[in-house]
Amino acid sequence: MKNGITNVLIVGVGGQGVLLASEILTEVAKVMGLDAKKSEVHGMSQRGGVVTSHIRFGEKVYSPLIPSGESDVILAFELSEGLRWIHELAEGGTFIVNDHKLVPPITATGKFFYPEDAIDRIKARVPGAKLVEATDIARELGNPRLVNTILLGVMSQSIDLAEDTWLEVIKKMAPKGTAELNRKAFLAGRSD
Amino acid sequence: MEMLLSGNEALARGVFEYGGEFASAYPGTPSTEILQVIAKFFKDDVYAEWAINEKVALEVAVGASYGGARSIAVMKHVGVNVAADPLMSLTYTGVGAGMIIVSADDPSLHSSQNEQDNRYYGKFASIPVLEPSDSQEAKDFVKTSFEISEQFDTPVFLRITTRISHSKGIVEIGDRETVEHEGFERNITKFVMVPAYAAVRHKIVIDRLEALKEYAETTDLNRIEWNNKDVGIITGSISYQHVKEAMPDASVLKLGMGYPLPMKKIAGFAAKVKNLFVVEELEPFYEEQIKAAGIEVEGKKYFSNHLELNVDRVRDGFIEAGLLDASVKSSTALAEPEEVLPRPPVLCSGCPHRGMMVAMKKLKLYTTGDIGCYTLGALPPLSQIDTCLCMGASIGHAFGITRAGKSDGKFVSLIGDSTFLHSGITALASVVYNKGNTTNIIVDNRITAMTGGQDNPGTSRTLMGEPTNAVDLKAICRAVGVEHVREVDPYDLEETISVLKEETERDACSVVITNRPCMLFPSKIKDEPYTVILEKCTACGLCFGVGCPSIAASDEKNDKGKPKAEIDPITCTGCTICAQVCPSGAIVPLEQ
């Protein structure tokens, strides 16, 4: 944390739900009375490209973009995307990655290869990196779509925002009829 | 009440709160959501429509303003080029009720063909330019823009950038306020731009600009935030936010009005600070004017006009200028990134454009391309788009290259339905008139897909969700004089190849129109998925060549070590293109 601002970088692939997750986090900060900004870089990501979302909150936030190497928390929805952005982590920051691979079609050209050693490279760089089996937890809860909320729950352990506010915002923003499931998913992640 | 809103959402909210009554736009990233938000949340109070292109969007909004409605025309930066013709004379006529032109610029070309700086349009047209620096200002400046427009009888250019449009921040919201205006009042010397009347109006524009310069000196849009006077920074738009974070101790002159500049205020600020800088994204728009006024200032020497600025780039500039210590940067700011494979955007699984691209590739055609999802066909493995310049250019390009007569191979143009309607029709008529013999392909997926699935004059639905008459593409092509207009099913490769072959061999202008809808909009389409029989797959790699995100290399290899293919049943839509290119019949419906 620099100047009292918490910086969270959420990364993944277009269609994974990065944007909704960052929306929820930003709203939680806002409800807690903090200044908050969120900025996405997604170019033409509707078609399976890289997605990053910058979330910043604190007493007063100016730039919507996190400066290089100042991400206090990085939450990656996919292994190779975690590896792509790991250098942005601040010294002593928290790195959380979903143990999930999405192999891009460009590998079919035979010129590019998916980094099968992603977990090793992540651990070599950030020994304390947390690997989350979100897909397994979601399956146990009975719905594969809960991965995002589980990851938010895991991340919530590393930032100072009240559990009640998280639950209130998730209830408000979860798709219709899924509030209770998402509550369970968040709490499962929070205790993982 | 406070809400978290993006710049686009806040701007739309501003149109509602400050008595906007009429909004017209052509979709274009990063501006598209403004009209969608108006149509979704405020349509009881604000009329909103998709126009066929930006020129028409501006013209109808001008009409609404002449007719007494506070109006807004919204477009991306390159859209203003299309609307420049009405803009450059609209400045002469002035407005009726308040009128705003929103220009959403795209520094860093997140989704554009260039990164032009549209503040120059303000200077070019002698109209005021307002530049919000966050979501709150995106809303507030709508109010000020309407007021300036009505006070000075001028259209106002509200210039945002991708980083303003797509960042969210906390916005204080309020209720709708309305202002009463009369309808159109006949005033021939004001509204009819023939030479004699326009000459008189030009003098009015020159005088108006002088009055606006005076306004710029006193408006609170431009404010000084005094701090340490060693460094004084003139900045505006998103750069202001980066400056405040990177240089918290500096004095700042924040410009909310980017044109005309408050030159007296700037001179006063300059006189009181030791080192004066301009920090602005893209071109040296403020810097050149300030230097021309004889004030010593540095800008682009330290802050490049290439790509977006951010806190790092602002810090780097001041470190280079010797005014900031390098230790402000994070200890990991220069950490080497890991090498990770690229993840470029691709045509969706089942996209109907894919079949057409594969057919064109099979026939070894050159493709003059256009703006839309199909531009993604330029990327490997398809690599089937050879030019892309601007909306509607494909049809003229194919004709020009062919008529120049120096290139081997056949050149066909490729354009989408919405882009054809936007600015392809006139090009096609011109090609026919000039006895062209090119083949022109319209990939008609019945939606404006690249910007997220907007309706257009071909879809039978308005932005407000009402049914309407649809343009008949085939009838248009015939009406401009094309004798050979063919329809093909792009999921039938054999038919598509045979029609393309026939038409490209014909010595006459022809049009081939595909007839399958987008897989995503207005609703997702998914048929039974296909699968690869690994025993039959020879690992020839032809299916990889169609560039489908559902096809990947499997762990199975042939005896030469080449990977066999596999298909993801969740994302495969069953379009069958890969099955049609497979020479060994290894790709079959999963159910079998």
Side-chain angles (χ1 to χ4, degrees), chain A residues 2 23 30 34 37-39 44 47 56 63 68-70 80-81 84 89 91 102 112 121 125, chain B residues 2 163 167-168 170 242 245 312 315 328 330-332 336 338-339 341-343 345-346 449-450:
Chain A
K2 212 169 163 182
E23 194 96 349
K30 183 204 135 217
L34 300 168
K37 282 186 182 172
K38 176 185 86 121
S39 193
M44 303 186 281
R47 334 276 170 230
R56 316 188 72 196
S63 176
S68 300
E70 292 185 25
S80 70
E81 293 309 310
R84 189 188 308 284
L89 194 65
E91 215 174 308
L102 282 174
F112 297 96
R121 283 160 73 186
R125 195 141 179 166
Chain B
E2 287 183 334
R163 198 54 63 193
S167 293
K168 286 203 172 189
I170 296 172
H242 304 322
E245 180 158 344
D312 290 299
R315 281 175 179 159
V328 295
S330 153
S331 58
T332 56
E336 278 290 313
E338 294 280 328
E339 254 182 57
L341 79 175
R343 197 183 280 277
V346 287
M450 194 62 173

Side-chain angles (χ1 to χ4, degrees), chain B residues 169-334:
Chain B
I170 296 172
V171 178
E172 182 67 40
I173 62 167
D175 297 328
R176 180 169 164 90
E177 310 161 3
T178 50
V179 183
E180 284 303 314
H181 289 281
E182 298 292 319
F184 185 78
E185 287 174 59
R186 177 173 278 168
N187 188 343
I188 292 173
T189 56
K190 173 174 160 66
F191 290 128
V192 180
M193 286 305 93
V194 291
Y197 300 156
V200 175
R201 294 300 304 183
H202 187 197
K203 181 66 173 67
I204 291 171
V205 170
I206 292 166
D207 294 343
R208 184 181 72 199
L209 188 61
E210 289 309 308
L212 282 162
K213 284 179 184 168
E214 282 310 309
Y215 174 88
E217 299 292 349
T218 54
T219 171
D220 57 10
L221 291 169
N222 301 322
R223 64 166 188 264
I224 295 176
E225 297 170 4
W226 286 116
N227 221 318
N228 189 319
K229 291 180 180 165
D230 270 355
V231 178
I233 303 169
I234 299 166
T235 186
S237 186
I238 191 67
S239 306
Y240 165 79
Q241 307 292 349
H242 304 322
V243 161
K244 289 296 281 185
E245 180 158 344
M247 297 293 285
D249 300 328
S251 292
V252 172
L253 168 48
K254 187 211 181 266
L255 297 171
M257 190 169 178
Y259 188 79
L261 292 179
M263 214 47 91
K264 287 179 217 155
K265 194 169 219 166
I266 290 171
F269 182 71
K272 291 201 178 88
V273 298
K274 201 166 148 198
N275 300 288
L276 184 67
F277 291 86
V278 169
V279 179
E280 59 189 323
E281 214 161 55
L282 299 180
E283 304 306 321
F285 181 72
Y286 307 151
E287 183 184 349
E288 282 175 351
Q289 295 178 70
I290 294 168
K291 281 183 168 158
I295 298 166
E296 214 171 297
V297 66
E298 289 293 358
K300 288 298 148 195
K301 184 176 171 192
Y302 299 108
F303 310 100
S304 165
N305 40 8
H306 184 218
L307 307 179
E308 284 189 288
L309 294 182
N310 53 37
V311 174
D312 290 299
R313 296 184 76 194
V314 174
R315 281 175 179 159
D316 289 342
F318 283 107
I319 290 168
E320 194 191 332
L323 291 163
L324 189 67
D325 196 281
S327 66
V328 295
K329 301 193 74 164
S330 153
S331 58
T332 56
L334 296 175

Side-chain angles (χ1 to χ4, degrees), chain B residues 378-584:
Chain B
L379 302 173
L382 286 167
S383 307
Q384 186 54 39
I385 301 289
D386 297 292
T387 69
C388 170
L389 190 65
C390 66
M391 295 286 283
S394 58
I395 293 171
H397 281 171
F399 172 74
I401 293 173
T402 306
R403 180 57 52 90
K406 299 186 178 190
S407 313
D408 295 330
K410 293 248 184 232
F411 288 79
V412 300
S413 74
L414 184 77
I415 187 167
D417 50 332
S418 187
T419 308
F420 178 70
L421 293 167
H422 177 285
S423 48
I425 301 169
T426 43
L428 187 62
S430 187
V431 168
V432 172
Y433 166 61
N434 289 299
K435 302 163 81 84
N437 64 355
T438 49
T439 301
N440 304 284
I441 299 160
I442 304 175
V443 277
D444 178 16
N445 62 357
R446 292 283 142 151
I447 204 82
T448 309
M450 194 62 173
T451 43
Q454 288 72 33
D455 282 303
N456 66 48
T459 67
S460 317
R461 276 178 313 272
T462 69
L463 171 59
M464 309 274 269
E466 289 160 3
T468 183
N469 289 349
V471 169
D472 180 338
L473 294 182
K474 276 188 247 168
I476 284 197
C477 296
R478 289 197 193 100
V480 301
V482 181
E483 286 173 11
H484 308 279
V485 181
R486 307 276 294 268
E487 181 179 311
V488 294
D489 176 356
Y491 292 144
D492 184 338
L493 273 185
E494 201 180 322
E495 179 203 332
T496 305
I497 290 169
S498 125
V499 168
L500 276 185
K501 193 161 184 297
E502 238 176 88
E503 294 307 325
T504 50
E505 280 170 1
R506 191 195 296 281
D507 187 21
C509 180
S510 58
V511 171
V512 177
I513 305 178
T514 63
N515 63 4
R516 293 283 192 159
C518 175
M519 302 303 289
L520 289 184
F521 310 111
S523 52
K524 283 195 179 161
I525 298 173
K526 183 162 162 51
D527 286 332
E528 284 304 313
Y530 273 57
T531 191
V532 180
I533 304 171
L534 286 170
E535 300 78 57
K536 283 195 180 176
C537 175
T538 63
C540 69
L542 282 176
C543 61
F544 295 148
V546 307
C548 176
S550 298
I551 305 175
S554 73
D555 296 331
E556 290 272 328
K557 305 264 182 354
N558 70 0
D559 47 16
K560 287 182 188 141
K562 282 181 73 185
K564 298 185 176 187
E566 65 181 4
I567 294 174
D568 174 9
I570 311 239
T571 55
C572 173
T573 68
C575 80
T576 77
I577 293 296
C578 59
Q580 292 179 59
V581 301
C582 177
S584 35

